[in-house]
Amino acid sequence: MKLHEYQAKSLFADAGIPVPDSRLATSVDEALDAVDEIGYPAAVKAQVHVGGRGKAGGIKIATDREEAEQYAEEILGMDLKGYTVDQVLVEAGVDFVDELYVGVTMDRGEGKPVLMVSTEGGVNIEEVAEENPDAIAREHVDPAFGLHPYQARKVVYEAGVDADVALDVASILSTLYDLYEENDASEIEVNPVMITGDRDVVAADAVMNIDEDALFRQPDLAEMAEASYEDDLERKAGEYGFDYVRLSGNVGIIGNGAGLVMTTLDLVDYYGGAPANFLDIGGGAKAERVTQALDMVFSDDNVDAVVFNIFGGITRGDEVAKGINEALEGFDEIPKKVVVRLAGTNAEEGMEILNTDLVEVEKTLEDAVQRAVKNADEVTQ
Amino acid sequence: MSIFVDDDTRVVVQGITGGEGKFHAGQMIEYGTNVVAGAVPGKGGQEVDGVPVYDTVDEAVEAEDADASVIFVPPAFAGDAIFESLDTDLDLAVAITEGIPTQDMAKVNKRLGETDTRLIGPNCPGIITPGEAKLGILPGNIFSEGNVGLVSRSGTLTYQVVDNLTERGLGQSTAIGIGGDPIIGTSFVDALEAFEADPDTDAVVMCGEIGGEDEEQAAKFIGEHMDTPVAGFIAGRTAPPGKRMGHAGAIVSGSGTGTAQSKIDALNDAGVPVGDTPEEVADHVEDFL
């Protein structure tokens, strides 16, 4: 789960990390009130869950009231990579001479949190990591002990941060690690940390993501969770509680278990089709879930044909078959051809129950996918 | 023979009084697994399907000589349950639970390095040695006894590939689902190493998926240390970068490693044929034997 910049910065400020003076605004008037208090230059920053806001025109620096009004008008309501901006952070501009990158994340290979510091801040850190990995200093933290303060100092010195600000940066990093632990974050990045002409150190941006599996013990953060769906279908999937990803093809895919659903997508592609979505109905799905899943793919205009592939472990074939029948019997005309393949627990019972007037049935995954691809081709021809 | 579990394995089920725990303990017993105890705090003295329940894993080990656990405990308490298994020095702990906070698993991972207990999972279907023992939620009826070892990150994909093998009379020595989370106990390399050492495993199937670098490391291990032939499968070739495909681990970051292609290339370089379909994986295994 992603936090907005203003939410992360409020956690930073509460923990004692220096951040620029700022106000959240949801209208041009509020933005103008904010700049009147903060002064100039002031940054107007879109608060949406997308990366690269600056390049996309979502961050502008105003040097006077006229500009502030113009930028607030431009940014509020704008479409940023599919998200509508309904709030901006108005923030005091920082007169910086240097920019650093600092971050804390989980190194899954090591199974340990890792601190990262680079003097090449202010740019796309993924590019730095790719082109010049030595420019990022790293230090792993033992999750049982937590961070020893010396580790924060060590990684900051190793990165080559100027000696006169190194201890201040180490102190920020130390606090970021505490926030990482206390809030069950999966990632915290500050890019850039700005060094001012007066040699003050300021967290000028903030990216903070929270481990969704830990929200049960982070009630305050859970309240900040807001749906950030890219389209109506993803919103619907969120309401149904499905793992769903929309793709650009025309073969709708429903299955159980992430690995097998991914495999079904790959097979659609392998047999010359194009997958329209990833939809995992999960383990132990009952008839109602099946109906909801079919509703999902039927309401996707891109879908021309559907393959429904279940390999039952805890999911029972007869339950799935019942759900498919119930979902389809409601239609005067089936909107899209559905190929069903059931295997595993109670698959034979399921096959017997299935109403073959409504669906096509195949015995193997390969055959089911090829038939669905053919069905989709027939629609597009 | 087999790896990690057989008909001597004595199992304690943590969370046996819960819905999932009770159902699958029954299924494991039906399959012939020695389920000797349950462990649930506050439920000591009860019985579930004739299996005695103890308050702690320690008591279950004392009283019933359990040497392996299967964990069906809700995510909020699962990290603690795994610690209990590790600190009781069981030989094996199999964690089925999905959705354990990553920072809890980082602490578990640290402890794992200090004990001799093997952890399988979490967020996995478990492990089965056909005809002998099943620890987890795998549907027993699709497996058959044989000499093909199988290791996979995914549950249902395991079932699919096993089905393709069994259909052709290619039985399995042991099949392991290692789990789809970013931090897991037993890795591909651990399982491959054990299969290589098992005289009764004559071929191995490895099913990976996008995300992380475990498959790349496994490819390296196969190239350097294995004589037993391995056939591979990689799910997620069509996954768009940056999207999470169900498994928390299955996310392609967008940089070079972790993509399906980088994994397929690494396996091919190690001499491992990678099937385009599960059926093709079975073709490769048939060629080996």
Side-chain angles (χ1 to χ4, degrees), chain A residues 106 108 110-111 130 142-145 180-181 184-185 211 213-214 216-217 230 234 243 245 247 256-260 262-263 265-267 269-271 275 278 311-314 341 345 365-366, chain B residues 24 76 99-104 106-107 109-110 139 153-154 156-157 159-160 163-164 182-183 209-210 212 233-238 240 243-247 249-250 255 276-280:
Chain A
M106 182 66 72
R108 56 179 280 178
E110 293 285 326
E130 196 102 322
D142 185 324
F145 290 116
Y180 171 84
E181 232 183 36
D184 274 299
D211 178 2
D213 288 335
F216 67 86
R217 63 186 178 201
E230 291 184 15
E234 296 203 347
D243 274 326
V245 178
L247 303 163
N256 65 325
L260 186 56
M262 271 194 271
T263 300
L265 263 69
D266 294 348
L267 287 184
D269 178 67
Y270 177 72
Y271 289 119
F278 170 102
F311 206 117
I314 45 177
R341 181 262 186 159
T345 308
L365 171 58
E366 285 84 357
Chain B
H24 288 290
I100 303 177
T102 307
Q103 293 197 15
D104 291 2
K107 292 191 175 78
N109 188 57
K110 156 79 176 171
R153 265 213 249 178
S154 146
T156 48
L157 178 56
Y159 311 158
Q160 173 65 46
D163 199 46
N164 289 66
I183 299 179
E209 62 187 43
I210 51 167
F233 186 78
I234 300 292
R237 295 173 187 221
T238 46
K243 288 284 191 181
R244 172 176 160 150
M245 301 295 256
H247 282 162
S255 59
D276 285 325
T277 67
E279 199 63 51
E280 262 185 47

Side-chain angles (χ1 to χ4, degrees), chain A residues 51-60 78 80-81 122-125 127:
Chain A
R53 285 173 302 166
K55 272 187 194 161
I59 299 178
K60 293 270 169 70
M78 83 185 285
L80 210 60
K81 299 184 183 176
V123 296
N124 184 343
I125 199 68
E127 277 170 25

Side-chain angles (χ1 to χ4, degrees), chain A residues 244-282:
Chain A
Y244 175 85
V245 178
R246 196 173 185 197
L247 303 163
S248 54
N250 66 342
V251 180
I253 293 156
I254 303 171
N256 65 325
L260 186 56
V261 180
M262 271 194 271
T263 300
T264 310
L265 263 69
D266 294 348
L267 287 184
V268 166
D269 178 67
Y270 177 72
Y271 289 119
N277 67 275
F278 170 102
L279 199 172
D280 180 3
I281 61 169

Side-chain angles (χ1 to χ4, degrees), chain B residues 107-257:
Chain B
K107 292 191 175 78
V108 165
N109 188 57
K110 156 79 176 171
R111 186 84 182 95
L112 263 182
E114 303 160 349
T115 69
D116 293 328
T117 306
R118 166 172 303 286
L119 172 67
I120 295 177
N123 188 15
C124 81
I127 176 169
I128 184 168
T129 291
E132 298 198 31
K134 167 178 107 151
L135 281 70
I137 61 175
L138 312 111
N141 60 327
I142 60 170
F143 293 85
S144 58
E145 291 171 52
N147 57 356
V148 181
L150 188 141
V151 55
S152 169
R153 265 213 249 178
S154 146
T156 48
L157 178 56
T158 308
Y159 311 158
Q160 173 65 46
V161 173
V162 164
D163 199 46
N164 289 66
L165 293 172
T166 297
E167 284 268 304
R168 300 186 189 203
L170 301 167
Q172 303 87 43
S173 52
T174 298
I176 311 173
I178 59 173
D181 274 6
I183 299 179
I184 54 174
T186 298
S187 66
F188 279 119
V189 170
D190 298 332
L192 291 169
E193 195 173 11
F195 280 130
E196 174 70 9
D198 176 25
D200 294 329
T201 296
D202 296 329
V204 177
V205 173
M206 175 187 144
C207 298
E209 62 187 43
I210 51 167
E213 292 177 25
D214 292 4
E215 289 82 357
E216 284 87 340
Q217 283 167 12
K220 189 161 174 284
F221 177 83
I222 294 166
E224 290 172 4
H225 302 287
M226 285 187 76
D227 293 324
T228 313
V230 181
F233 186 78
I234 300 292
R237 295 173 187 221
T238 46
K243 288 284 191 181
R244 172 176 160 150
M245 301 295 256
H247 282 162
I251 185 162
V252 184
S253 61
S255 59
T257 57

